[in-house]
Amino acid sequence: MSLSIVTSFYNKYDRFLNVWIDAILQSTKLPDEVVMNVSGDDFDIANIQSAIDKLKNIIPYKIIYTEHHSMGGARNNAVRAATSDWIMYLNVDDLVTSNCFKDIYDNLPTDADVLTGSMAWVNYPKGD
């Protein structure tokens, strides 16, 4: 079973991209593919190039550029570009834990369509 992690971002949210990639790369097991959808035209190409440089020769990746019509549309474009058996969508300003992908691979059911997990708010003020 293969796993793609996908994200989409617009309006300068690329500022979170490198921290997002760093969290993925610090995982004990890596996903099979990373898909990033740059939605719209308000981004810093240096952030995107830096993220690509980090992924090169480590994890196969795709980066797509689309017009921004809606967050749902952007997410759907990213998901459509993924090629793995399983897809995990994660906002670009949300980070995975170091054991996230290992836990997913260890628990992938063969007879289900959806696998859900949990999240933790770390270092955020209460109420955010």
Side-chain angles (χ1 to χ4, degrees):
M1 297 291 235
S2 57
L3 174 68
S4 294
I5 182 166
V6 300
T7 196
S8 57
F9 50 89
Y10 76 115
N11 285 355
K12 302 189 188 257
Y13 267 73
D14 58 279
R15 69 186 183 272
F16 298 107
L17 185 59
N18 280 280
V19 173
W20 187 81
I21 294 294
D22 290 342
I24 292 169
L25 293 174
Q26 292 172 14
S27 297
T28 57
K29 181 163 180 66
L30 298 175
D32 297 290
E33 174 184 58
V34 172
V35 178
M36 301 163 282
N37 180 19
V38 182
S39 177
D41 57 8
D42 192 8
F43 58 87
D44 183 345
I45 193 67
N47 289 334
I48 296 167
Q49 186 59 54
S50 177
I52 289 170
D53 291 343
K54 290 177 181 185
L55 290 171
K56 280 183 184 173
N57 301 317
I58 297 174
I59 303 174
Y61 67 90
K62 292 180 185 171
I63 186 150
I64 59 175
Y65 294 85
T66 61
E67 290 184 32
H68 184 73
H69 297 291
S70 69
M71 284 307 300
R75 289 177 175 137
N76 288 338
N77 288 331
V79 167
R80 274 193 289 276
T83 60
S84 296
D85 300 315
W86 287 87
I87 298 169
M88 176 182 180
Y89 184 88
L90 188 67
N91 290 329
V92 74
D93 58 346
D94 294 333
L95 307 178
V96 294
T97 60
S98 63
N99 62 336
C100 173
F101 302 120
K102 181 181 181 324
D103 288 348
I104 290 171
Y105 282 106
D106 289 350
N107 292 289
L108 280 176
T110 57
D111 60 348
D113 295 324
V114 176
L115 178 67
T116 61
S118 61
M119 63 180 283
W121 288 86
V122 179
N123 297 325
Y124 284 92
K126 197 169 192 170
D128 276 1

